Amino acid sequence: PSLTSISDYAFYGCSSLVGLEIPPSVKKFGKSVFSKCSSLKKLILPPKMNIIKDCFFLIYFVIIAFFILSGE
């Protein structure tokens, strides 16, 4: 079976997480999935996602800003 969602706080506080590629099968994210992941530098998201909640937006926009500023 494929991973279809990532639950609330799944990676919360995971300071050793540097990068992650989310498989295309994931369509939903819970709350605060990447909050307090202080070392997270790269996150590759699937092209279509239905639900993104709460603090995930903050880390998502920080990462998008990083890609824009770094030219990636």
Side-chain angles (χ1 to χ4, degrees), residues 2-7 10-11 17-30 33-34 37 40 42-52 56 59-60 63 67:
S2 296
L3 179 65
T4 59
S5 65
I6 298 178
S7 61
F11 297 102
L17 181 64
V18 176
L20 187 64
E21 181 172 356
I22 306 298
S25 60
V26 173
K27 303 296 183 202
K28 296 181 182 181
F29 280 87
V33 172
F34 298 106
C37 292
L40 186 61
K42 189 170 187 176
L43 180 63
I44 301 171
L45 301 172
K48 295 181 181 179
M49 291 177 16
N50 295 331
I51 297 173
I52 302 174
F56 180 74
I59 193 69
Y60 177 74
I63 290 170
F67 285 132

